[in-house]
Amino acid sequence: MTNKNYFQRPRLERYVADTDEQGLGAVDAVNDDRPPRSQWGEAWVSLRKRPLFWVSAILILFTIALALFPQLFTSTDPRFCQLSNSLGEPTSGHPFGFDRQGCDIYARTVYGARASVAVGILATAMVMIIGTVIGATAGFFGGWIDAVLSRFTDVFFAVPLLLAAIVVMQMFRESRSLWSVVLVLSLFGWTNIARIARGSVMSVKNEDFVTASRSLGASRWTMLTKHILPNAAAPIIVYGTVALGVFIVAEATLSFLGIGLPPEVVSWGGDISSAQSSLRTRPEILFYPAGALVITVLSFILMGDVVRDALDPKARKR
């Protein structure tokens, strides 16, 4: 009975698409011989599709242009002040007006980028070198070397960056310079980089390609510099991008307190400090350097967030 009912059931019509409708030609046209993209290649593909990346990149390039070539944006000397122009309104050639000392606010805002960006870039470079060397050494060798370097890092990590910088800069208040600010920020700002580098190296050193290089007779120095660090650099670079904005803020804070850059160096922090006395009568005097500082720091933080999402495979899948 079962077999009889089976053969009496109506047959379903089957449709087979023609060969040209399946698009096999387009599939066959794919170049399978092309090598796979690297981590940075995949990150670039993701970055160039993000509008936030282009916005932050344009702001960063504009800030760097201000720092390197301020004379392209203004021909006024930021140190030339006339008391007759004290708190003067904006005029032709002076779009932001004048501060209490009669200095051109626009020129000082433009030239203030040089000191702030220089401190941020130099401090970040030194911090990344110190932190990467200590963290990578601890994570790669392990054992007692890791224990000693980790405890050494914890000692500096327990000291707040800004508090330590204030104390040290107060001790050398008479010999302040751009390099002294960079050295102080670098001395107490490398701990986070060291921790990130240590964790990243520890996660990479057990990968198969490291084991293969070890089996082929590669030395420890070769494995660390040519195989481990290039593959562990992504989180370090991401944090370094964000840290650059943090060091710019730290320099502005020290200059605001009067213990950062010397008074003859034009900086946003120093101008913000000088504008406090005119906050009620001319608040825009403070807003111009403060706005430039906020935009610069925000651009570096946004760039760090975008690069982190591009280098994180889990973030790309979300």
Side-chain angles (χ1 to χ4, degrees):
M1 180 65 69
T2 303
N3 294 335
K4 184 178 179 180
N5 292 335
Y6 173 78
F7 289 108
Q8 290 179 352
R9 291 179 181 176
R11 297 296 183 92
L12 296 176
E13 294 183 0
R14 292 178 173 83
Y15 175 76
V16 180
D18 296 333
T19 303
D20 56 345
E21 295 183 12
Q22 297 179 7
L24 296 179
V27 176
D28 295 336
V30 177
N31 184 12
D32 296 333
D33 298 332
R34 186 180 61 182
R37 293 192 184 98
S38 63
Q39 181 184 20
W40 298 102
E42 292 287 347
W44 170 244
V45 173
S46 176
L47 283 175
R48 65 187 184 185
K49 299 177 182 179
R50 301 284 301 274
L52 198 60
F53 165 75
W54 293 109
V55 172
S56 58
I58 291 173
L59 291 176
I60 290 174
L61 292 177
F62 179 72
T63 304
I64 294 175
L66 284 179
L68 294 178
F69 311 105
Q71 63 276 8
L72 297 179
F73 300 90
T74 179
S75 58
T76 305
D77 186 358
R79 299 182 184 86
F80 179 75
C81 307
Q82 289 183 330
L83 289 177
S84 59
N85 295 327
S86 178
L87 301 179
E89 297 293 335
T91 59
S92 177
H94 309 282
F96 294 170
F98 301 88
D99 61 8
R100 184 170 292 275
Q101 300 298 324
C103 305
D104 183 76
I105 299 175
Y106 174 74
R108 294 187 66 85
T109 303
V110 171
Y111 276 85
R114 172 173 291 179
S116 299
V117 173
V119 170
I121 292 177
L122 293 175
T124 302
M126 295 185 66
V127 160
M128 291 186 67
I129 294 174
I130 298 172
T132 301
V133 170
I134 294 177
T137 303
F140 180 72
F141 290 99
W144 67 270
I145 297 178
D146 183 20
V148 171
L149 293 179
S150 296
R151 301 294 78 77
F152 178 73
T153 303
D154 291 340
V155 172
F156 281 85
F157 188 79
V159 182
L161 171 63
L162 193 57
L163 178 61
I166 291 174
V167 173
V168 175
M169 291 302 298
Q170 281 281 18
M171 296 171 57
F172 303 97
R173 190 165 186 170
E174 300 300 326
S175 58
R176 290 178 295 162
S177 65
L178 186 145
W179 284 106
S180 64
V181 176
V182 171
L183 291 176
V184 169
L185 294 179
S186 303
L187 180 62
F188 297 98
W190 57 269
T191 53
N192 286 325
I193 291 284
R195 287 191 166 193
I196 293 173
R198 176 180 176 271
S200 183
V201 168
M202 291 180 67
S203 64
V204 172
K205 73 176 183 178
N206 296 320
E207 295 291 339
D208 293 337
F209 62 87
V210 179
T211 305
S213 65
R214 184 184 294 111
S215 64
L216 292 175
S219 63
R220 289 187 172 184
W221 175 254
T222 301
M223 288 189 293
L224 180 60
T225 56
K226 293 186 177 181
H227 300 290
I228 296 178
L229 280 180
N231 290 277
I236 300 174
I237 294 175
V238 170
Y239 183 81
T241 306
V242 178
L244 202 154
V246 173
F247 289 130
I248 291 177
V249 173
E251 178 276 320
T253 303
L254 294 175
S255 298
F256 175 82
L257 296 175
I259 56 176
L261 297 175
E264 59 270 15
V265 177
V266 181
S267 67
W268 290 331
D271 288 350
I272 293 173
S273 178
S274 301
Q276 290 183 98
S277 58
S278 307
L279 186 59
R280 292 186 177 181
T281 56
R282 291 285 305 280
E284 64 273 14
I285 296 178
L286 182 144
F287 292 157
Y288 291 130
L293 177 64
V294 169
I295 293 174
T296 301
V297 174
L298 181 62
S299 62
F300 283 106
I301 293 177
L302 291 177
M303 178 62 74
D305 291 341
V306 174
V307 173
R308 180 196 59 198
D309 294 340
L311 292 174
D312 186 6
K314 296 181 180 178
R316 289 200 297 267
K317 292 179 181 179
R318 289 195 292 266

